[in-house]
Amino acid sequence: MSAYILRRILLMIPTIFGIMLITFTVTQFVPGGPVEQLIAQLEGRGAGGEVRATTSGFYQGNKGLDEEKILQLKKLYGFDKPPVERFLTMMKNYLIFDFGESYNHHRSVVDLVIDKLPVSMSLGLWSFLIVYLTCIPLGIKKAISDGSKFDVISTSAILVGYAIPGFVLAILLIVLFGGGSFWKIFPLRGIVSDNWAEMGTIELILDYLWHMVLPIISITIGSLAVMTLLTKNSFLEEIRKQYVLTARAKGLSENQVLYKHVFRNAIIPIITGFPGSFITAFFTGSLLIETIFSLDGMGLLAYDSIINRDYPVILGTLYFFTIIGLISRLLSDLSYVVVDPRITFESVESR
C-alpha cells in the first residue's frame, strides 16, 4: 500500500502544475484585468468602460495616461515581467504557501481566507453532519420497508425537496419565518448578533445556532435525496443476496442479519465518500445562500475575486483547494481498505 500512496502523491505534482498552468494561461487572455481596471478608474471610466464623473464633478474621460504611468501600473501588479517568469515565480511562492496580497482587499490572501472560512465552515460542517446523520438511518428504514406507505411518502417528500433550488427555498423561508410577510422568528444577517461580544458562552452558542437554522435548512434539503436513495439502494442490493438468505435460514433475527452482516457491506460505498465530504465541508461556500442571508464567506469571496479580476485570490485559493481535493480523493480511496480489509492495492502496485 505504501507504494500506491507514494505513487498517488507523486501524481499530485503534475496534476496541480497542470491545473495552475491552464488557469494562469486563461487569466492572461481575459479582458478587464487589474491594470485595465485601474487605468479605467484613473481615466474616469468604470470597469466596463463607461464614463464616470470624478469627486470634483468634472468630466475626466478624455484624459488618458501616458506610457510611463501605464508601465508603472504594470510594474505595481508584476505584469512588467514575461508570463513564463511570472508563472514560475508564482509556483515557487506557492510551494511555501505564499499567495501574495489581494489586489482588491489589499490584504494577505491567507488572512483573507482565514477571515471568510468560519462562515463557510459553519454552513458546510453542519450540513454535512445533518445529511449523514439523517440520510443513513432514513435510507436503512426505507430499504427495510421497501414499497410500503412510509417508503413512498418519504421518497416523494425528499424528491420534492431535491427539486426545489436552495435559493428559492431560502427566499420562501425568509418570507415565512424571517419577517418577510408572516412571522419574524429567525434572524437574517450574519452568524451571530451584533452584540455577540456582550453575551455569555451559552447565550452566544444559542444565538449562533439560531442564526444557522434557515441557511442550513436551505442547503441541506436538496442534499437529502441523493444520500438517502444511495443508502437505500445499497442496502436493498445486499439484502437480496444469497448470504442474507443463508443467515436467515440459520435462525438469526432480522436485526442480527441487518446490522451484523448487511450493514458492514452496504455501508462501504457510503462511508468511502466520508473523508472527501468531511474535508470539503470545511471549505465550501454557497454564493446564493451567503448572499441571501448576508453571510460573508468563501462563496462571496470567490465571486468578488472573479468579478474584480483579483488574480492572487483566484489562483491562491485554487491552488489550496486543489491540494485539499486531491488529498480528500486519496483518503476516500484508502477508506475502502479501512472499511473492508478484503480490499487491497496489491494488484495496482504490481502493474
Side-chain angles (χ1 to χ4, degrees), residues 128-177:
F128 167 82
L129 292 175
I130 291 173
V131 167
Y132 266 84
L133 294 178
T134 301
C135 294
I136 292 179
L138 179 60
I140 296 174
K141 176 63 177 176
K142 287 172 64 61
I144 297 173
S145 56
D146 182 42
S148 66
K149 186 177 181 180
F150 168 79
D151 182 38
V152 174
I153 294 176
S154 59
T155 299
S156 301
I158 61 176
L159 289 179
V160 169
Y162 179 75
I164 300 176
F167 71 92
V168 174
L169 180 60
I171 295 173
L172 177 62
L173 292 175
I174 289 176
V175 172
L176 291 177
F177 305 110

Side-chain angles (χ1 to χ4, degrees), residues 169-170 173-174 177-178 185-188 209-219 289 293:
L169 180 60
L173 292 175
I174 289 176
F177 305 110
I185 301 177
F186 298 100
L188 300 179
L209 294 176
W210 206 238
H211 279 76
M212 286 288 100
V213 171
L214 296 187
I216 295 302
I217 291 176
S218 303
I219 292 177
I289 299 301
F293 291 100

Side-chain angles (χ1 to χ4, degrees), residues 61-116:
N62 61 346
K63 292 185 177 180
L65 296 178
D66 55 42
E67 190 66 25
E68 182 180 354
K69 291 183 178 180
I70 293 177
L71 292 176
Q72 291 177 356
L73 292 178
K74 289 183 178 181
K75 185 176 181 180
L76 176 65
Y77 289 108
F79 287 93
D80 58 324
K81 300 176 182 178
V84 175
E85 182 180 350
R86 285 191 282 118
F87 175 76
L88 294 178
T89 301
M90 180 189 75
M91 294 303 298
K92 180 181 177 181
N93 293 332
Y94 282 9
L95 289 176
I96 57 175
F97 292 94
D98 179 9
F99 301 132
E101 185 175 287
S102 167
Y103 295 155
N104 189 40
H105 299 275
H106 305 291
R107 295 178 56 192
S108 166
V109 173
V110 174
D111 293 340
L112 194 61
V113 171
I114 290 175
D115 284 348
K116 309 296 183 182

Side-chain angles (χ1 to χ4, degrees), residues 198-216:
E198 304 172 2
M199 299 180 183
T201 303
I202 302 299
E203 186 180 3
L204 182 59
I205 293 175
L206 294 176
D207 181 72
Y208 162 75
L209 294 176
W210 206 238
H211 279 76
M212 286 288 100
V213 171
L214 296 187
I216 295 302

Side-chain angles (χ1 to χ4, degrees), residues 133-331:
L133 294 178
T134 301
C135 294
I136 292 179
L138 179 60
I140 296 174
K141 176 63 177 176
K142 287 172 64 61
I144 297 173
S145 56
D146 182 42
S148 66
K149 186 177 181 180
F150 168 79
D151 182 38
V152 174
I153 294 176
S154 59
T155 299
S156 301
I158 61 176
L159 289 179
V160 169
Y162 179 75
I164 300 176
F167 71 92
V168 174
L169 180 60
I171 295 173
L172 177 62
L173 292 175
I174 289 176
V175 172
L176 291 177
F177 305 110
S181 299
F182 296 90
W183 305 281
K184 185 173 177 57
I185 301 177
F186 298 100
L188 300 179
R189 296 180 59 85
I191 59 176
V192 290
S193 300
D194 294 336
N195 62 334
W196 64 272
E198 304 172 2
M199 299 180 183
T201 303
I202 302 299
E203 186 180 3
L204 182 59
I205 293 175
L206 294 176
D207 181 72
Y208 162 75
L209 294 176
W210 206 238
H211 279 76
M212 286 288 100
V213 171
L214 296 187
I216 295 302
I217 291 176
S218 303
I219 292 177
T220 56
I221 291 297
S223 304
L224 296 178
V226 175
M227 183 61 66
T228 300
L229 295 179
L230 174 63
T231 304
K232 176 190 173 182
N233 294 334
S234 180
F235 273 80
L236 276 178
E237 182 180 355
E238 293 297 324
I239 288 174
R240 294 166 179 169
K241 289 185 177 179
Q242 184 64 39
Y243 74 88
V244 176
L245 297 176
T246 304
R248 287 172 176 167
K250 290 181 178 180
L252 297 179
S253 65
E254 284 299 317
N255 284 338
Q256 287 179 317
V257 172
L258 181 63
Y259 294 105
K260 186 177 180 180
H261 296 280
V262 174
F263 185 84
R264 66 179 183 180
N265 294 320
I267 206 68
I268 290 177
I270 301 166
I271 295 300
T272 49
F274 185 93
S277 300
F278 183 76
I279 293 176
T280 305
F282 281 87
F283 305 103
T284 54
S286 174
L287 170 61
L288 292 176
I289 299 301
E290 290 180 9
T291 302
I292 292 172
F293 291 100
S294 300
L295 302 174
D296 191 11
M298 292 300 300
L300 281 177
L301 176 63
Y303 176 77
D304 178 70
S305 301
I306 293 173
I307 292 298
N308 292 288
R309 306 293 193 272
D310 199 343
Y311 296 149
V313 177
I314 296 173
L315 295 171
T317 53
L318 175 65
Y319 176 83
F320 180 68
F321 293 149
T322 299
I323 293 177
I324 294 297
L326 293 173
I327 292 175
S328 65
R329 289 293 299 272
L330 175 59
L331 293 178

